[in-house]
Structures are given as C-alpha cells and as structure tokens.
Amino acid sequence: PGFKTNMIVENIVRNTALYVLLLFSLFYLLSFNADRQSPPCSSKQSKSRKFVSLSKNGTMFEYSRESELIFVGGVPRSGTTLMRALLDAHADVRCGEETRVIPKLLDSHDRWRQSVNDTIMLEEAGVDTDIMNTAMASFILDIMVHHGEPAPRLCNKDPLAFKHGVFLNQIFPNSKFLFMVRDGRATVHSIVKKFLKFPGLASEKYREFMKFWNIDISDMHEECIKLGPWKCLPVYYEQLVLHPELGMRKILTFLNLPWDEAVLHHQDFINKAGGISLSKLEKSSDQVKMPVNLDGLSNWVGNIPEDVLKDMKDIAPMLAFLGYDPEASPPDYNRSENFENK
C-alpha cells in the first residue's frame, strides 16, 4: 500500500508540474503571438520576445534572449550571495535576490523532457522543442527583468539553477556563468549548523550532507566543463576572499565589464537607495553586510566529527579533484596553485 501511495503521489506531482509548465508556456506564447510575423512556410520559428524596462531616471533598457546575461550558481552556501553582492555593487550590473522560482521551473522542464511519452504527446500537439524553449526563455527573462531595477547587464543568482547551465546557455546564447566553488567541509558545516538541533546526530548529518555536496558539485562541474572556458568561470571562494581585487578583476574581465572600484566596497551599498537589496529569507544576508573577510575559511575546523574526517577522502572525492586536501584540517588555502585549471 505504501509503495502504491508513493507511486500515486509521484504521478500527481509529475503531472501537476507538467500542467503548470504547459500553462506558463501557453501564456507566454499567446502574449507575444501578436508580435510574431513569421512567413507562412516557417510558422514554427519562434520570435524572441523583447522586454523594456525604465529606470527611475527615465533611461530605457531593452532585453531579449540575445542579451548578455550573467548567471551565478553553485552549491548553496558556497559564496553565491557574496558574489552577487559584489556584482550588484558594479554600476552596470543588477542581480538582486534569489527568485527561487527559476530553478524549480528548470527542474520541472528537465523532468518533462526526460519523459518520452510526454514529449511525444506534446510534439504531436504541435508544442515542439523550439516553442517550449521560447516560452521558457520568455518566462525566465520576464522574472529577471522585473524583479529589480533595470541595468545594462542583468544577473541571476539562484544557486541550483546552475545544474541546468547548458540549457540556459541554449536559450540565452550570449550569457556567461560564474561557478562558485568552496571547500565542501565549510559549505556543509554552514548548512548543518543551521539545522542540527541534536548534537548526537552530527556524525550522521555531516556524512550525509558531504555525500550530497559531492553529487551536486560533480554535476555542476560537469555543466561548467560542457559550457567551456569562454562561457563558464569557476570562482573559488577561498581565493576570492583572500585576494578580492585580483579575483574581481579576473571576473569582470571574463564578463566583459569595466573595472569599478565599488566592487571592493560592496558593504557601503547594502540596503541603500539604488544600492544592494538583501533578502531577509536568505541565510547568507547577514554575512554579506560586512566587508569581505576571512572568517568563513576556518569555521568548520574542529566541528566536523573525527569519524567523518577520517573517511572524508572516500565520502567526498571531489574535494581532492577540485584541489582541496581532504586530510588537512585546516588546509592551506594560500596555496593557490592547487586551484588552477580545475
């Protein structure tokens, strides 16, 4: 009975996600159908919808699928909030808070695409990949444009959306991606300490979350490799906080943005008019109110159970792959040569 119930629930969830996705698609297709002027012989070629937004001083900004968007992603608690705050300090960039809905929509789209039956049924109904991609792009871009003030370059920071980096690049071909990487032990400690109410469960929770981290970081690293070095830049959190100016100069060059001294003083713009807006719901908001600092480098040392540390090399092999020493506690993050070309 339990198995059947689970199957029923899974089918309901999957079908609901599909229907919601189809409703979004239908809405966006209908909303720009009047502007489509495709020749009769190529009626299935979807036109990229354009969005216009006016700044408070009356400057008009126009965005489309061809805009040079920026996506900041990585495993949660890996420095993505700090990265977007640094970018938000730049005069030409607006990231804003996490939307939360974009990764959920991408997950639903991915599940739908993996269902052969659903794909066949929709394509039989005339809803092919091109139509769905256009609808997905319009929905995502609409959110990015209207959930904050306009700027020459728009940025999205939904960490788990990076799992769909290749697809995002497909629907936004001029976009670039920043892949935040942080020592998994520090990331997991930051997560576990927020939820661990019973110290006796520490060993189990740290071991479990390290395994989750290893899976997620592996998947995201693969996305970054597929995107290629011209599209995706891995940014090591430790190197960024140790050498902020060097790191930000490299990042801005990669993004084709001019140097702006403000990125080294993001704390001066927090919650100021025209500055950086922080969400009360994001757990990292309190930390990014401060200047870039080294406090987060060693907070995990002495807090992870010994039995977990002993097995760390096997629990999370991606640590060594990414250049971290799984047996060092604390590791020497100053050895930056370990983190090149990973």
Side-chain angles (χ1 to χ4, degrees):
F3 176 76
K4 290 182 178 179
T5 300
N6 289 338
M7 289 293 292
I8 293 173
V9 171
E10 288 178 3
N11 284 332
I12 292 174
V13 171
R14 182 176 64 83
N15 290 333
T16 301
L18 176 61
Y19 295 147
V20 171
L21 185 59
L22 286 174
L23 286 174
F24 284 144
S25 303
L26 180 60
F27 172 77
Y28 279 95
L29 287 172
L30 288 175
S31 67
F32 59 70
N33 185 57
D35 296 328
R36 276 172 58 179
Q37 297 179 350
S38 303
C41 62
S42 58
S43 59
K44 287 192 176 183
Q45 292 180 356
S46 300
K47 182 180 179 180
S48 175
R49 186 184 183 189
K50 293 183 179 180
F51 294 84
V52 175
S53 183
L54 289 176
S55 68
K56 292 181 179 179
N57 64 10
T59 303
M60 185 177 71
F61 294 89
E62 188 175 272
Y63 308 99
S64 71
R65 289 178 64 175
E66 287 70 41
S67 296
E68 297 181 14
L69 305 177
I70 303 167
F71 290 95
V72 178
V75 177
R77 313 296 290 180
S78 292
T80 54
T81 303
L82 173 62
M83 185 73 261
R84 81 90 171 168
L86 298 178
L87 290 175
D88 264 332
H90 195 287
D92 292 342
V93 181
R94 192 267 289 159
C95 294
E97 301 93 332
E98 293 180 22
T99 71
R100 301 182 182 273
V101 68
I102 289 178
K104 291 180 180 179
L105 179 67
L106 290 168
D107 287 342
S108 296
H109 174 266
D110 190 53
R111 286 193 295 271
W112 164 70
R113 271 300 174 195
Q114 291 178 17
S115 171
V116 177
N117 289 337
D118 290 336
T119 301
I120 293 175
M121 289 173 63
L122 288 174
E123 290 184 350
E124 280 291 318
V127 185
D128 60 16
T129 300
D130 180 62
I131 292 175
M132 288 303 299
N133 286 357
T134 302
M136 287 285 290
S138 295
F139 180 77
I140 293 172
L141 188 57
D142 198 350
I143 293 174
M144 291 180 65
V145 170
H146 294 114
H147 90 115
E149 287 294 311
R153 297 284 294 277
L154 293 185
C155 158
N156 168 258
K157 193 278 284 189
D158 280 305
L160 295 178
F162 197 86
K163 288 186 174 182
H164 308 279
V166 172
F167 174 71
L168 285 170
N169 185 60
Q170 181 181 347
I171 60 177
F172 301 114
N174 295 319
S175 58
K176 289 207 171 185
F177 299 80
L178 297 178
F179 173 32
M180 295 303 299
V181 179
R182 186 183 183 188
D183 189 326
R185 293 162 293 190
T187 298
V188 168
H189 173 65
S190 183
I191 295 172
V192 170
K193 72 178 182 179
K194 298 290 183 181
F195 304 107
L196 196 61
K197 298 179 180 180
F198 304 100
L201 297 176
S203 179
E204 177 183 341
K205 287 299 180 185
Y206 274 104
R207 189 178 295 269
E208 178 184 2
F209 277 91
M210 283 304 306
K211 290 179 179 178
F212 288 152
W213 174 86
N214 196 75
I215 294 172
D216 284 346
I217 200 73
S218 178
D219 290 343
M220 293 181 183
H221 181 268
E222 185 176 350
E223 289 289 302
C224 191
I225 293 297
K226 289 178 179 178
L227 288 166
W230 299 108
K231 301 288 290 184
C232 179
L233 178 67
V235 178
Y236 280 80
Y237 170 82
E238 295 82 10
Q239 300 309 307
L240 180 62
V241 298
L242 283 167
H243 314 287
E245 182 172 349
L246 180 65
M248 287 308 298
R249 285 189 179 277
K250 180 178 181 180
I251 289 166
L252 295 183
T253 298
F254 170 77
L255 296 175
N256 297 318
L257 285 167
W259 174 250
D260 188 339
E261 196 75 17
V263 300
L264 300 181
H265 309 284
H266 74 281
Q267 71 278 1
D268 296 337
F269 305 94
I270 298 294
N271 294 328
K272 301 287 180 66
I276 303 170
S277 174
L278 294 180
S279 169
K280 296 178 181 179
L281 300 179
E282 291 183 37
K283 296 180 174 61
S284 300
S285 291
D286 289 339
Q287 298 173 16
V288 299
K289 291 179 181 178
M290 302 181 291
V292 174
N293 59 78
L294 308 182
D295 294 347
L297 294 183
S298 57
N299 286 344
W300 63 271
V301 178
N303 287 291
I304 301 179
E306 287 297 326
D307 64 302
V308 179
L309 288 175
K310 182 180 178 181
D311 298 336
M312 191 62 69
K313 183 169 60 175
D314 298 319
I315 296 173
M318 284 298 293
L319 279 173
F321 179 83
L322 292 170
Y324 298 102
D325 185 347
E327 297 178 346
S329 179
D332 183 5
Y333 294 124
N334 286 296
R335 298 182 60 183
S336 59
E337 68 273 10
N338 289 0
F339 307 104
E340 297 296 328
N341 301 320
K342 293 296 182 180

